Amino acid sequence: MQIGSLYYYFGSKDELVEAALGEAGALIHRAVYSAVDDLPETATPGERLSTAVRSIIRVRIEVGNMSAAHIRNYRDVPKEMRDRLRPSLERFSEFWAALVHDAVESGEIRSDIDPRILHMFVFHTSEQISKWPAALTTSTADTVEVMHRLILAGLRDRDDGGDART
């Protein structure tokens, strides 16, 4: 597509940037919401959180550099644009807070985990994958599982003797 043709669909460069940022965020959010929604009703809060962790890591790997560009550019756009994009980010953050809260309440993860910090840790750590040298990752599935184990091992109660692979 010719650059000038974009203006048929978007009135300005800012509209194009906002649409791209909004869609990049929505793509990630939809993947995580969908993965959790697809679980059976019998899924425990810990299983829901575990699925969300796996899903966000997987989608970050799949979208690659688009993910990192989304965050980098979000910080640099005008405040008015950030204000329009923010409700979706806040809903996603609330979703993560509820997942963590429910997993804490069920006793499946430690009670001293701050849901906002966990959300930011998983979100931003997974974002960095696109910057890793290709030699570090063997496959998407392997990378997802290693990161998932690293994250979940820190969420488990030290005395529970549970397997952090779940």
Side-chain angles (χ1 to χ4, degrees):
M1 176 183 282
Q2 300 275 334
I3 299 281
S5 300
L6 289 173
Y7 291 107
Y8 176 78
Y9 300 99
F10 301 98
S12 68
K13 182 175 112 180
D14 282 350
E15 284 182 25
L16 173 62
V17 168
E18 186 170 346
L21 289 175
E23 184 53 34
L27 176 73
I28 293 163
H29 299 175
R30 280 192 307 265
V32 175
Y33 291 143
S34 178
V36 172
D37 288 346
D38 287 347
L39 289 171
E41 287 186 29
T42 57
T44 68
E47 291 168 335
R48 292 172 52 83
L49 178 61
S50 178
T51 296
V53 168
R54 276 190 176 100
S55 180
I56 196 167
I57 294 167
R58 183 176 31 263
V59 75
R60 289 288 195 171
I61 292 169
E62 290 169 355
V63 301
N65 288 332
M66 181 181 83
S67 180
H70 169 260
I71 297 300
R72 183 179 56 250
N73 291 325
Y74 177 81
R75 295 178 189 129
D76 294 334
V77 298
K79 181 187 179 320
E80 301 78 32
M81 190 183 299
R82 282 194 313 272
D83 289 345
R84 288 189 296 274
L85 294 167
R86 186 172 293 117
S88 174
L89 297 172
E90 288 174 352
R91 279 191 301 277
F92 196 57
S93 185
E94 290 166 7
F95 170 79
W96 276 91
L99 287 173
V100 174
H101 175 268
D102 293 349
V104 167
E105 289 295 309
S106 73
E108 292 176 84
I109 68 168
R110 296 170 26 190
S111 61
D112 62 340
I113 301 297
D114 182 315
R116 294 167 302 180
I117 292 174
L118 176 61
H119 168 229
M120 290 291 109
F121 176 77
V122 172
F123 199 80
H124 293 290
T125 300
S126 62
E127 170 191 284
Q128 298 304 311
I129 295 170
S130 67
K131 298 176 184 175
W132 292 359
L136 276 181
T137 57
T138 54
S139 72
T140 296
D142 288 344
T143 303
V144 167
E145 287 310 307
V146 168
M147 289 187 71
H148 177 263
R149 282 194 307 269
L150 288 169
I151 292 166
L152 275 251
L155 296 178
R156 300 278 186 234
D157 192 358
R158 289 183 201 99
D159 299 328
D160 73 357
D163 183 1
R165 291 177 184 253
T166 57

